[in-house]
Amino acid sequence: VDKVVTEFRSNFQDILIFDSKTYGRVLVLDGVIQLTERDEHAYQEMIAHLPLFAHENPKNVCIIGGGDGGVLREVCKHRSVKNIVMCEIDPSVVEISKKYFADSIATAFGDKRVTLLHEDGTVFLENTNVKFDVIIVDSSDPVGPAETLFEEAFFGKVKRSLADGGILTTQGECIWLHLQLISEVLSSCGNLFPVVNYAYTTIPTYPSGQIGFVICSTGKNVDPEAPTRKVPDYMKGELKYYNGDIHRAAFVLPEFAEVKVTPYRKKSARNILNISLDDSTIRTLLISSAVACLVGFTLGKMV
């Protein structure tokens, strides 16, 4: 810690911002690091762009939590998005982020597409009639005000608020520390959604240097593992972590985690139909096909 910038208790949680020598400015809520200026992009970009690029044409987006503005910054990079509703229960997080992260993270609150609401995300989803293409739940750990955002009842409200083929992405904890909780969340989502999957990103300042994402869809043919579009040229210079290859790779887990997650993964119908073949198998099939064609051609000439 180089210098404490501000420290106080809001109506919901303890808030601390400090400057560090190596990670820039740091936001801490209830004693847990939420972001640092040095590596926040690894989380913000992945939780936002995994669902946004998996969706063919996202227009209406809802962000639950995310008061620091990082996820909002990333969503606003998508020109197809026409309407963004951000529901952050603690206005103090938004205000201090605008003040102390104005040039790095909280840069998109002035976007005309954004409607900012300070209310409980669960209550908002209960009352809204809007159908969203993508809902991103950028929650802290399941304690305090974020606890309800990990419960099946909440995911049911999310499903009701998603359009056909809509995608949910929520902060999914760490495979090194929380596999049991991850399994429980995936199981709950599996009771509601036809497609349920899990991905992760690496980020040095989070516990064990890793954090995951639970990704679900109301569309049985939606494949969260596959981006539907390439990163547009105008966006490439603005991204530090996300690209199409890392999108696909994010769903490949180490074996100890894959064993636990596999029983709860529900692949899309499109993904199941795509038979995965290694290079040697493909070469064998191509050679066999070529030989069969040649034989058929030769026999035809003989006749």
Side-chain angles (χ1 to χ4, degrees), residues 65-296:
D68 55 75
V71 172
L72 179 63
R73 178 194 65 199
E74 298 305 316
V75 173
C76 287
K77 292 176 181 176
H78 288 259
R79 294 178 181 175
S80 67
V81 174
K82 306 302 180 185
N83 176 54
I84 306 166
V85 176
M86 179 173 172
C87 192
E88 166 58 56
I89 195 171
D90 192 345
S92 295
V93 177
V94 174
E95 292 308 312
I96 62 162
S97 296
K98 287 180 179 180
K99 182 175 181 179
Y100 296 113
F101 296 96
D103 298 325
S104 57
I105 298 163
T107 60
F109 284 104
D111 193 296
K112 294 181 180 179
R113 296 171 291 177
V114 178
T115 300
L116 176 62
L117 305 174
H118 293 304
E119 61 178 277
D120 188 318
T122 301
V123 175
F124 168 74
L125 292 176
E126 283 177 349
N127 296 325
T128 185
N129 293 318
V130 177
K131 297 294 184 182
F132 296 98
D133 300 309
V134 172
I135 296 178
I136 301 169
V137 183
D138 179 20
S139 67
S140 52
D141 292 328
V143 293
E147 186 173 4
T148 60
L149 304 183
F150 287 77
E151 297 173 354
E152 185 170 330
F154 172 74
F155 293 124
K157 296 177 177 65
V158 171
K159 180 183 179 182
R160 188 189 71 82
S161 299
L162 282 170
D164 293 340
I167 301 174
L168 156 71
T169 299
T170 182
Q171 188 268 101
E173 295 299 325
C174 174
I175 58 174
W176 294 98
L177 303 172
H178 309 114
L179 265 179
Q180 182 58 40
L181 174 61
I182 291 168
S183 298
E184 292 171 1
V185 172
L186 291 172
S187 177
S188 295
C189 290
N191 295 331
L192 300 167
F193 295 94
V195 172
V196 178
N197 216 321
Y198 189 85
Y200 77 99
T201 188
T202 58
I203 178 166
T205 49
Y206 282 1
S208 298
Q210 180 273 340
I211 197 165
F213 311 105
V214 174
I215 305 178
C216 311
S217 179
T218 56
K220 65 179 182 179
N221 292 315
V222 173
D223 184 6
E225 297 183 39
T228 60
R229 307 176 310 285
K230 294 182 178 179
V231 175
D233 290 340
Y234 74 84
M235 196 186 294
K236 287 180 179 178
E238 300 178 0
L239 298 177
K240 297 179 180 179
Y241 194 93
Y242 177 89
N243 59 42
D245 289 334
I246 209 162
H247 181 128
R248 299 176 187 90
F251 293 85
V252 180
L253 305 181
E255 187 62 18
F256 77 89
E258 186 61 45
V259 168
K260 293 289 188 180
V261 168
T262 293
Y264 305 104
R265 268 187 165 147
K266 296 172 70 176
K267 299 271 190 172
S268 74
R270 186 175 69 183
N271 184 291
I272 293 171
L273 290 174
N274 290 334
I275 302 174
S276 178
L277 302 174
D278 61 27
D279 290 342
S280 62
T281 305
I282 292 172
R283 283 196 297 271
T284 301
L285 287 174
L286 289 174
I287 292 171
S288 299
S289 297
V291 170
C293 290
L294 181 60
V295 170

